Amino acid sequence: MTAMPKFRNRVTEMLGVQLPIVQAPMGWIARAQLASAVSNAGGMGIIETSSGELDAVKEEIRKMRDLTDKPFGVNIAQAFVRDPGIVDFVVEQGVRFVTTSAGSPTKYTAALKSAGLTVFHVVPTLRGAIKAVDAGVDGLIVEGGEGGGFKNPRDVASMVLLPLVRSKVDVPIIAAGGIVDGPTMAAAFALGAEGVQMGTRMVSAAESPVHGNWKQAIIDAAETDTVFLNRKFGPGLRALRTDRSEALEYADHNVMGEFGNAMKLYFGGDMNASLALSGQVAGRIDEIKPVAQILEETASGFFQVIDNLARNHSVS
Amino acid sequence: MTAMPKFRNRVTEMLGVQLPIVQAPMGWIARAQLASAVSNAGGMGIIETSSGELDAVKEEIRKMRDLTDKPFGVNIAQAFVRDPGIVDFVVEQGVRFVTTSAGSPTKYTAALKSAGLTVFHVVPTLRGAIKAVDAGVDGLIVEGGEGGGFKNPRDVASMVLLPLVRSKVDVPIIAAGGIVDGPTMAAAFALGAEGVQMGTRMVSAAESPVHGNWKQAIIDAAETDTVFLNRKFGPGLRALRTDRSEALEYADHNVMGEFGNAMKLYFGGDMNASLALSGQVAGRIDEIKPVAQILEETASGFFQVIDNLARNHSVS
């Protein structure tokens, strides 16, 4: 086997990572066990704050220092963390990379940047992207509607959104939504991304702390087995198709009040106790794999796809 | 300028085209004026039958013989053409390439194949793809949910659907949904396609017969300016956001009866007289261009993207 090429672009440079592969900040899931596995495998592990449990988050960040000496980041999910001290909190933890989401990019970008952090903002539309760039972010996480979790009710697929944003802004883009392997990473790069983020793939990883029933449900899911909820009221939500989520699909009220008991699903394995947030890529995941294997296969698959494309489409 | 590389793969071989770019079979729109422009530019022009106007279609096919000596095809939209004589009709016209859609692939594939035609079936899911391959089709048109027109109510984005189908079947794939230029064509090829189909881009083309108001609405649309209708009842429909389509978005009844007067919209320019079927790529189209320019820019952009990817990601 020949040596794998190295990635070297604005994302690897700014984040200080070997692989431009970021783990998504799923609430309660994106904690030290999973994030350290991603960082140790050469990607960017992220600690979540959307659980709102800042004391627990602090402890997870402390654990990260024991579990990895590689870079890791923190996500500030603005809608869920209303404490204005969150910026000081993140800066005090010595974190160098932050993603901000679910809120205005004008709120924290300046403070985070003046503290020397690298800031990427999560955007679901071109309008959001331009607003974030105007607010001075270093880069964007461009999130297609096929991804899981909280979504813009007017969902736009990665195939449309990525090249649109790429054509209108200059900052580096990390693609989220639909990314699960080498071919999807190569497609994202063809559309202008310089990095990718994986959510559902990481929920299903060996090091993910969620109950085995959730991982099995991802493995069992077809590509049509997610539902998009709450489009009429917002925020939208993409979750695995279950009795609970199907019953809410055409609800005539805001379903945010019907999240149920997340802990009972996440860690207790009762798939109808809450909503199992997931992207359409659930239909492409057939196996629980260790994070290191996921990242290695994604990177090698990426280079193989690029190599095949170039071989088949060069001037001869 | 150096010579552009040539495409040579199973789609160009089977279809006998220079460029593996197919024009989608939009009802009333995919007629000789548009289809001949696509064929003459090196792609695959397609004549529609979803209008149900078989006499008019016959006349359009006759016109094609005057307008081009390049290959062209016909789409059999099974849900709209219930006349069982459609196979004989198509065979008698001397057409060599047929796409079938909106119905079971077992219905016409054998008869078309035994008459010597090449048959591609349009599929929106992996299950549909496997069924079509089992029915003996030569290839698939894999249609992501971001595309316009009639859709599977359980829409799946191209970024997820294409590589999923690619991983499970061997026949050549033409990617539809989200395709509008070189980067999206390159992304589709990274995901395993060997050809692409464009719908909305062709509706907006200079040679498209639709009223200028529709073309202008595509140019004015943001990426979030389509709505997905009739998910609860099926078939789903993706159309431009207008007063009429927005009012139907959460309808509690099947909206197929509220199509209105298509002719008044298509050729009269009254954007609320019917539904302006369109994909999310409306948000990426800023200009009315001749078909030849669209195809030339797509092909050259494709090779440029592949070249850049290979340059930036090779063993050095």
Side-chain angles (χ1 to χ4, degrees):
Chain A
M1 194 178 150
T2 54
M4 201 192 295
K6 282 188 172 46
F7 285 96
R8 191 193 161 100
N9 63 27
R10 291 184 292 176
V11 168
T12 59
E13 297 288 304
M14 290 167 105
L15 275 57
V17 290
Q18 184 194 336
L19 304 174
I21 303 176
V22 178
Q23 160 245 312
M26 297 79 68
W28 289 278
I29 302 168
R31 295 207 169 173
Q33 177 177 310
L34 178 60
S36 64
V38 174
S39 290
N40 282 329
M44 176 56 84
I46 303 272
I47 300 292
E48 57 88 14
T49 61
S50 55
S51 63
E53 300 176 347
L54 291 196
D55 286 342
V57 165
K58 200 172 203 167
E59 176 61 14
E60 296 297 312
I61 294 174
R62 197 196 57 69
K63 279 191 218 163
M64 285 297 278
R65 300 239 168 67
D66 294 336
L67 295 171
T68 184
D69 55 5
K70 301 276 184 66
F72 64 93
V74 170
N75 169 252
I76 300 179
Q78 298 175 213
F80 302 97
V81 186
R82 302 194 180 274
D83 180 352
I86 185 71
V87 169
D88 291 339
F89 171 83
V90 168
V91 171
E92 281 160 17
Q93 305 305 314
V95 173
R96 312 305 305 153
F97 177 63
V98 166
T99 64
T100 53
S101 55
S104 170
T106 59
K107 194 161 183 187
Y108 297 130
T109 302
L112 289 164
K113 293 267 297 170
S114 69
L117 279 72
T118 298
V119 181
F120 275 51
H121 191 68
V122 180
V123 298
T125 62
L126 174 61
R127 192 175 168 182
I130 289 170
K131 196 174 165 193
V133 169
D134 288 345
V137 299
D138 298 295
L140 299 171
I141 296 176
V142 172
E143 195 170 62
E146 56 269 74
F150 293 93
K151 317 297 298 173
N152 189 300
R154 295 187 178 184
D155 57 312
V156 180
S158 290
M159 184 69 93
V160 176
L161 187 61
L162 280 172
L164 179 65
V165 174
R166 174 73 297 155
S167 69
K168 307 285 184 185
V169 308
D170 293 323
V171 300
I173 290 171
I174 294 170
I179 311 297
V180 77
D181 59 3
T184 47
M185 186 178 182
F189 275 50
L191 298 170
E194 292 171 60
V196 293
Q197 179 175 285
M198 294 186 191
T200 305
R201 177 62 109 173
M202 293 299 173
V203 173
S204 76
E207 293 88 342
S208 160
V210 305
H211 193 279
N213 289 357
W214 190 352
K215 297 185 189 183
Q216 191 60 44
I218 291 171
I219 289 171
D220 293 342
E223 77 281 19
T224 47
D225 284 339
T226 66
V227 292
F228 195 104
L229 304 177
N230 221 32
R231 198 185 300 269
K232 196 170 181 177
F233 302 92
L237 282 164
R238 189 179 290 283
L240 283 180
R241 186 181 298 279
T242 58
D243 291 344
R244 188 187 189 99
S245 66
E246 273 206 318
L248 294 172
E249 190 170 5
Y250 302 108
D252 221 2
H253 60 276
N254 194 315
V255 307
M256 283 299 283
E258 305 203 36
F259 218 87
N261 186 332
M263 295 305 98
K264 249 176 106 173
L265 188 158
Y266 283 40
F267 306 111
D270 178 350
M271 294 302 291
N272 282 304
S274 182
L275 298 169
L277 302 177
S278 170
Q280 293 182 344
V281 292
R284 298 205 55 224
I285 295 170
D286 298 324
E287 198 185 336
I288 296 170
K289 293 178 180 179
V291 164
Q293 184 184 349
I294 292 169
L295 265 58
E296 198 282 328
E297 288 177 358
T298 299
S300 63
F302 170 89
F303 290 115
Q304 197 183 322
V305 168
I306 303 294
D307 193 48
N308 287 342
L309 283 174
R311 261 177 227 269
N312 293 332
H313 302 98
S314 61
V315 186
S316 56
Chain B
M1 194 179 150
T2 54
M4 202 192 294
K6 283 188 171 46
F7 285 96
R8 191 192 161 99
N9 62 29
R10 291 186 291 177
V11 168
T12 58
E13 298 287 306
M14 290 168 106
L15 275 57
V17 290
Q18 183 193 340
L19 304 174
I21 302 176
V22 178
Q23 159 245 312
M26 296 81 66
W28 289 280
I29 303 169
R31 295 208 169 172
Q33 178 176 310
L34 179 60
S36 64
V38 174
S39 290
N40 283 329
M44 176 56 83
I46 304 272
I47 300 291
E48 58 88 13
T49 60
S50 55
S51 63
E53 299 175 347
L54 290 195
D55 286 341
V57 165
K58 201 171 204 167
E59 175 60 15
E60 295 298 313
I61 293 174
R62 198 197 55 71
K63 279 191 217 160
M64 284 298 278
R65 300 239 169 67
D66 294 335
L67 295 171
T68 185
D69 55 5
K70 302 277 186 65
F72 63 93
V74 171
N75 170 252
I76 300 178
Q78 299 175 210
F80 303 97
V81 187
R82 300 192 182 274
D83 180 352
I86 184 73
V87 169
D88 291 338
F89 172 82
V90 168
V91 170
E92 281 159 17
Q93 305 307 313
V95 173
R96 312 305 305 153
F97 176 64
V98 166
T99 64
T100 52
S101 55
S104 170
T106 58
K107 195 161 182 188
Y108 296 130
T109 302
L112 290 163
K113 292 267 297 169
S114 68
L117 279 72
T118 298
V119 181
F120 275 52
H121 191 67
V122 180
V123 298
T125 61
L126 173 61
R127 193 175 167 180
I130 289 170
K131 196 174 163 191
V133 170
D134 288 346
V137 299
D138 297 294
L140 298 171
I141 296 177
V142 173
E143 195 171 62
E146 55 269 74
F150 293 93
K151 316 298 297 173
N152 189 299
R154 296 187 177 183
D155 58 311
V156 180
S158 290
M159 184 69 93
V160 175
L161 187 61
L162 281 173
L164 178 65
V165 174
R166 176 72 298 156
S167 70
K168 307 284 183 184
V169 309
D170 292 323
V171 299
I173 290 171
I174 293 172
I179 311 297
V180 79
D181 60 2
T184 46
M185 186 178 183
F189 275 51
L191 298 171
E194 291 170 62
V196 293
Q197 179 174 285
M198 294 186 191
T200 305
R201 177 61 109 174
M202 293 300 172
V203 173
S204 76
E207 292 89 342
S208 160
V210 306
H211 193 280
N213 289 358
W214 189 353
K215 297 186 188 182
Q216 190 59 45
I218 290 171
I219 290 170
D220 293 342
E223 79 280 21
T224 47
D225 284 340
T226 65
V227 291
F228 195 103
L229 305 177
N230 220 33
R231 198 184 299 270
K232 196 171 180 176
F233 302 92
L237 284 164
R238 190 180 289 284
L240 282 180
R241 185 181 298 281
T242 58
D243 291 344
R244 187 187 190 97
S245 65
E246 272 205 318
L248 294 173
E249 190 171 5
Y250 303 108
D252 221 3
H253 59 276
N254 194 315
V255 307
M256 283 299 282
E258 305 202 37
F259 218 86
N261 186 331
M263 295 306 98
K264 248 176 107 174
L265 187 157
Y266 282 41
F267 307 110
D270 177 351
M271 294 302 291
N272 282 303
S274 182
L275 298 169
L277 301 177
S278 170
Q280 293 183 344
V281 293
R284 298 205 55 224
I285 295 170
D286 298 325
E287 200 185 335
I288 296 170
K289 294 179 180 179
V291 164
Q293 185 184 349
I294 292 170
L295 265 56
E296 197 284 326
E297 289 177 358
T298 299
S300 63
F302 171 89
F303 290 115
Q304 197 182 324
V305 168
I306 303 294
D307 193 48
N308 286 342
L309 283 174
R311 260 177 228 271
N312 293 332
H313 302 98
S314 61
V315 186
S316 56

